[in-house]
């Protein structure tokens, strides 16, 4: 097991580059749920059966000729490191429970995450930057095909892929886009848009999935059902909803610029001042300020901050990574102090580097 390299860099692979509509769509995720025939679902399984599933899946993928994968058994990963893997969106919170006998196989660039013995035997996750539904699906599908050639999937001719939760039965496909929607939130349009999206068969959650809040105006939009629709239809429906949201967000940004530019600039630069100079920075305030500064960069109002540093700080601000960086346990107040210190340090270093280059 080699987890160190996944801990060294705060920014996940998908955050290091940008894709289409990257000013609004931060990432695209595809997740495929699969189970092995002849084995109990993880919720009813026992350690022996879970171990057999783990060995079967691991051997199938690692012996497929594909290189660059790292295997980790969750029970052997320290608690803090498990939390960081969640904060980097590489594993789900459910997988970190050692009682699940779970494991994960990660690609070197962190694009592919294959979770073993989570809610289902196999969860194939593929994350791409920006708006890339088709590309992300093709990549996940290629991994799925590699496994299906070597493993006996639980499949029914009438119902499709059988899963632990009935809502995933069928294609087993959950497609989602993580979107930054500050203008719709500022203008309060998001409150009426979310119910409309739900009526279209989509689910709106926070950036960490079910049960999480939309910190920093970041929302995750995904399909709600997988039964009765083909994969292409699911992707097309989500793409249509996402494009409409992108258009609404762009119009809202234009309205804010034309009707409330001074008030908007004041809000954005105040947030920039907070993350540059604050001595105490709670998680919620840090997320809100990062959202404002991101919007300022996208609108070409704030010009002296690189977007890559904001992606980095999105991970820096999380409790697990703060404690990993501090190399000690921190109380809530200590985390707020340390978070502010990290933000000031990182922004100052970037500014100094830029000044040195100009000289």
């Amino acid at each position: 097991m080699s987890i160190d390299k996944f801990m060294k860099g705060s920014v996940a692979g998908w955050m290091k580059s940008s894709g289409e509509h990257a000013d609004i769509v931060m990432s695209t995720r595809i997740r495929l749920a699969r189970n092995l025939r002849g084995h109990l679902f993880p919720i009813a399984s026992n350690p022996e059966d879970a171990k057999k599933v783990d060995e079967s899946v691991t051997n199938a993928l690692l012996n497929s000729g594909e290189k660059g994968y790292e295997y980790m058994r969750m029970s052997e990963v320290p608690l803090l490191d498990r939390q960081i893997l969640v904060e980097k969106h590489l594993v789900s919170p459910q997988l970190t429970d050692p009682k699940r006998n779970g494991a994960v196989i990660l690609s070197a660039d962190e694009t592919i995450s294959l979770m073993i013995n989570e809610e289902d035997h196999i969860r194939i996750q593929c994350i791409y930057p920006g708006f890339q539904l088709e590309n992300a699906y093709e990549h996940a599908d290629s991994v799925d095909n590699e496994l299906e050639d070597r493993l006996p999937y639980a499949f029914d001719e009438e119902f499709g892929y059988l899963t632990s939760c009935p809502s995933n039965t069928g294609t087993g496909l959950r497609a989602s886009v993580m979107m930054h929607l500050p203008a719709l939130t500022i203008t309060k349009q998001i409150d009426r848009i979310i119910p409309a999206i739900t009526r279209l068969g989509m689910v709106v959650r926070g950036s960490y999935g079910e049960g999480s809040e939309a910190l920093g105006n970041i929302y995750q939009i995904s399909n709600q059902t997988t039964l009765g629709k083909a994969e292409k239809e699911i992707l097309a429906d989500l793409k249509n909803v996402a494009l409409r949201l992108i258009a609404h967000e762009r119009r809202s940004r234009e309205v804010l610029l034309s009707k409330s530019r001074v008030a908007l600039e004041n809000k954005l630069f105040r947030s920039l001042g907070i993350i540059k100079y604050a001595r105490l920075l709670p998680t919620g305030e840090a997320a809100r300020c990062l959202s404002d500064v991101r919007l300022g960069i996208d609108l070409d109002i704030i010009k002296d901050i690189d977007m890559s540093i904001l992606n980095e700080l999105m991970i820096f601000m999380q409790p697990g990574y703060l404690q990993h960086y501090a190399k000690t346990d921190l109380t809530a107040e200590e985390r707020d102090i340390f978070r502010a210190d990290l933000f000031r340090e990182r922004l100052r270093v970037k500014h100094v580097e830029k000044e040195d280059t100009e000289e």
Side-chain angles (χ1 to χ4, degrees), residues 143-159:
V143 176
D144 183 38
N145 290 336
E146 286 281 351
L147 291 173
E148 194 163 18
D149 286 343
R150 295 171 172 81
L151 296 171
Y153 278 173
F155 183 85
D156 181 87
E157 291 296 332
E158 182 179 358
F159 295 106

Side-chain angles (χ1 to χ4, degrees), residues 289-312:
C289 290
L290 285 177
S291 172
D292 286 347
V293 175
R294 181 181 292 275
L295 178 60
I297 294 171
D298 288 335
L299 295 177
D300 204 29
I301 292 173
I302 295 175
K303 304 177 187 293
D304 61 343
I305 301 292
D306 194 304
M307 186 65 81
S308 64
I309 199 173
L310 299 190
N311 291 338
E312 189 176 271

Side-chain angles (χ1 to χ4, degrees), residues 29 37 40 62 68 91 94 240 276 314:
R29 186 191 72 160
R37 190 171 64 246
L40 294 172
L62 300 187
V91 305
Q94 293 84 354
N240 180 51
K276 275 189 171 183
M314 281 178 61

Side-chain angles (χ1 to χ4, degrees), residues 3-4 7-8 15-16 20 44 47 64 66 73 86 105 108 124 135 149 159 164 231 235 261 282 310 314:
I3 192 173
D4 290 345
M7 298 295 114
K8 284 179 182 176
M15 300 179 80
K16 294 177 182 176
E20 190 177 2
S64 67
E66 293 289 336
R73 183 176 287 113
V86 172
I105 299 174
I124 302 167
N135 290 338
D149 286 343
F159 295 106
S164 181
E231 289 88 348
L235 296 177
R261 187 180 184 95
L310 299 190
M314 281 178 61

